[in-house]
């Protein structure tokens, strides 16, 4: 696994009911020497089996820290970025990745609230892992790193997780918006109310058209992410997109 073959893409996350500048999610791409650009769905599960995903996640996190650090050094504003964390990390006995993530944030002097760790709902399928996950979330919070639950709503143990885990953000699964109907919007609206009642922010994923944006705004969803605002893009393209949007707010 050569690091130079991996490229970080950023996808916009946009606020709906407030005029704050956008945020981003970091998504990895594999620039394969013969196969071309490969999307994570085609290699993450393989990397989870062979353990390489742990190094990859830390690499993505460090690259994001480097980017924000460089912008700060150049007196440019910085934007919050979320990074995905594989469930494979939880298999390690000592969970040393937690300290590694925290020390990278310190090394690159990233202010609190600028970094977020996304964990998919499927990370917590086993109850026995909950204490370790709680410890991890506490450690991140103590060090100014936010935590989100990714792809929420189509897994198995959703509501139990909300009771147990003190996450900051819930990302509603893109599947909600596929073949949407009246039921979809009833679930989404009530889910957003539930999340807000628990003090959590909401992000809707997979937003592709204006009608969805309007419905989500009415439902008071905090942020949206999807092709409607922007696909995942190379960092330089994202910066251009970000600065134009920020300046037009
Ligand atoms: P995710 O974290 O839920 O990321 C969102 C995925 O939805 C991305 O797919 C993004 O391209 C796609 N997406 C966003 N908006 C839309 C839309 O409007 N329509 C459609 N059809 N798709 C949309 P991507 O980049 O292929 O990533 C797939 C998954 O791979 C991610 O899902 C995440 O679970 C995983 N992944 C990506 N990068 C990393 C990484 O650095 N580390 C780990 N552990 N997993 C990663
Ligand atoms: Mg994600
Ligand atoms: Mg997701």
């Amino acid at each position: 696994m050569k690091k130079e073959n991996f490229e970080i893409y950023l996808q916009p996350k946009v606020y709906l009911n407030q005029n704050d500048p956008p945020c981003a999610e970091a998504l990895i791409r594999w620039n394969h020497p013969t196969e071309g650009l490969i999307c994570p769905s085609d290699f993450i599960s393989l990397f989870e089996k062979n353990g390489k995903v742990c190094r990859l996640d830390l690499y993505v996190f460090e690259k994001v820290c480097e980017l924000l650090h460089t912008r700060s050094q150049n007196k440019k504003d910085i934007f919050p970025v979320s990074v995905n964390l594989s469930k494979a990390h939880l298999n390690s006995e000592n969970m040393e990745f937690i300290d590694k993530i925290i020390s990278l944030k310190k090394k690159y002097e990233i202010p609190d609230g600028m970094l977020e760790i996304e964990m998919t709902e499927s990370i917590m399928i086993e109850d026995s892992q909950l204490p370790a996950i709680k410890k991890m979330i506490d450690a991140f919070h103590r060090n100014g790193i936010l935590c989100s639950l990714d792809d929420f709503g189509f897994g198995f143990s959703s509501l139990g997780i909300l009771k147990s885990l003190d996450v900051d953000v819930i990302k509603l699964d893109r599947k909600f918006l596929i073949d949407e109907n009246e039921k979809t919007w009833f679930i989404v609206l009530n889910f957003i109310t539930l999340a807000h009642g628990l003090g959590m922010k909401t992000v809707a994923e997979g937003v592709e058209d204006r009608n969805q944006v309007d419905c989500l705004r009415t439902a008071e969803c905090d942020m949206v992410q999807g092709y409607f605002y922007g696909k995942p893009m190379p960092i330089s393209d994202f910066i251009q997109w970000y600065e134009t949007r920020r300046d037009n707010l």
Side-chain angles (χ1 to χ4, degrees):
M1 185 178 105
K2 284 206 185 100
K3 283 180 177 165
E4 56 273 21
N5 288 340
F6 290 87
E7 188 180 353
I8 285 142
Y9 275 43
L10 294 177
Q11 184 179 27
K13 289 191 281 184
V14 172
Y15 281 101
L16 285 182
N17 289 310
Q18 63 195 81
N19 276 343
D20 287 6
C23 312
E25 174 175 6
L27 294 158
I28 196 76
R29 298 290 180 264
W30 186 2
N31 245 322
H32 195 276
T34 53
E35 307 283 322
L37 205 64
I38 308 180
C39 279
S41 47
D42 293 328
F43 63 87
I44 289 287
S45 56
L46 172 71
F47 280 24
E48 277 176 340
K49 283 191 199 105
N50 65 24
K52 287 182 178 165
V53 75
C54 296
R55 260 202 302 147
L56 188 67
D57 285 354
L58 284 167
Y59 173 72
V60 174
F61 190 82
E62 178 151 19
K63 284 283 158 195
V64 166
C65 291
E66 264 176 32
L67 167 69
L68 298 183
H69 182 74
T70 309
R71 275 185 76 81
S72 290
Q73 300 283 77
N74 296 335
K75 309 271 177 276
K76 300 241 166 80
D77 63 337
I78 61 171
F79 41 83
V81 184
S82 57
V83 178
N84 291 283
L85 183 81
S86 163
K87 57 180 181 280
H89 294 274
L90 298 173
N91 297 335
S92 74
E93 287 283 290
N94 51 11
M95 307 264 280
E96 59 181 10
F97 72 95
I98 300 177
D99 290 336
K100 287 186 182 159
I101 284 178
I102 291 168
S103 52
L104 284 170
K105 175 181 176 280
K106 286 190 180 137
K107 176 180 165 193
Y108 290 97
E109 301 169 316
I110 311 296
D112 289 357
M114 286 291 155
L115 294 163
E116 180 179 310
I117 296 292
E118 296 195 7
M119 306 161 277
T120 57
E121 193 184 11
S122 62
I123 215 172
M124 355 240 161
I125 267 174
E126 287 172 43
D127 275 359
S128 59
Q129 285 182 324
L130 276 181
I133 296 167
K134 275 188 196 173
K135 230 175 96 182
M136 172 184 85
I137 293 175
D138 283 351
F140 286 154
H141 280 168
R142 275 198 308 277
N143 289 280
I145 298 173
L146 301 172
C147 298
S148 51
L149 268 183
D150 201 359
D151 305 328
F152 189 84
F154 274 80
F156 300 104
S157 49
S158 317
L159 294 176
I161 287 173
L162 292 187
K163 178 174 164 264
S164 311
L165 298 180
D166 187 17
V167 291
D168 307 279
V169 179
I170 306 269
K171 298 190 76 181
L172 285 177
D173 200 306
R174 182 160 80 73
K175 294 195 194 89
F176 278 113
L177 300 188
I178 300 173
D179 295 330
E180 68 209 93
N181 55 28
E182 250 178 61
K183 256 192 200 172
T184 309
W185 293 112
F186 184 79
I187 296 171
V188 169
L189 177 77
N190 282 286
F191 188 73
I192 291 169
T193 309
L194 171 68
H196 286 166
L198 293 168
M200 297 164 182
K201 282 195 172 176
T202 48
V203 179
E205 295 191 286
V207 177
E208 295 190 359
D209 62 56
R210 171 152 310 276
N211 179 50
Q212 293 172 338
V213 172
D214 292 341
C215 292
L216 287 160
R217 185 177 283 116
T218 309
E220 296 186 18
C221 185
D222 297 283
M223 299 187 102
V224 295
Q225 177 179 352
Y227 295 174
F228 180 74
Y229 284 107
K231 290 193 172 183
M233 47 192 124
I235 290 177
S236 54
D237 292 359
F238 177 84
I239 299 288
Q240 240 182 344
W241 179 93
Y242 169 81
E243 290 179 347
T244 309
R245 179 149 182 107
R246 177 202 59 194
D247 295 344
N248 288 315
L249 279 175

